[in-house]
Amino acid sequence: MSQEALAHEAGIHRTYVSALERCEYSASVDRLDRLAVQLKVPTYVLLMDELPSDLLG
C-alpha cells in the first residue's frame, strides 16, 4: 500500500505518514489505531522493532 493510499484511507495527510516512517513524529494512540485498521494488523505491531514472521508473507 502506498503512503498516499494509506493516508487517504486513515484520514490523515500523506506527509504525516512519511514523517512517521522517518521517525520525525510520534503518532498518538488514536492515529496508530487508524493506521493499523487500514493495514489490517493489530495496533501493537506498529510499535514493534521487527515484524513477526507471519506478517511478512
Side-chain angles (χ1 to χ4, degrees):
M1 174 180 284
S2 69
Q3 288 179 352
E4 187 171 357
L6 176 59
H8 176 74
E9 293 299 321
I12 59 179
H13 200 274
R14 186 205 53 83
T15 57
Y16 183 76
V17 173
S18 177
L20 288 174
E21 280 192 3
R22 293 189 315 273
C23 298
E24 291 181 2
Y25 295 128
S26 297
S28 68
V29 173
D30 187 47
R31 291 211 180 174
L32 284 176
D33 283 337
R34 289 170 26 189
L35 292 167
V37 166
Q38 296 309 315
L39 293 169
K40 298 177 177 67
V41 298
T43 304
Y44 73 87
V45 170
L46 299 180
L47 301 172
M48 299 175 79
D49 288 333
E50 295 183 30
L51 288 176
S53 60
D54 61 322
L55 292 177
L56 295 175

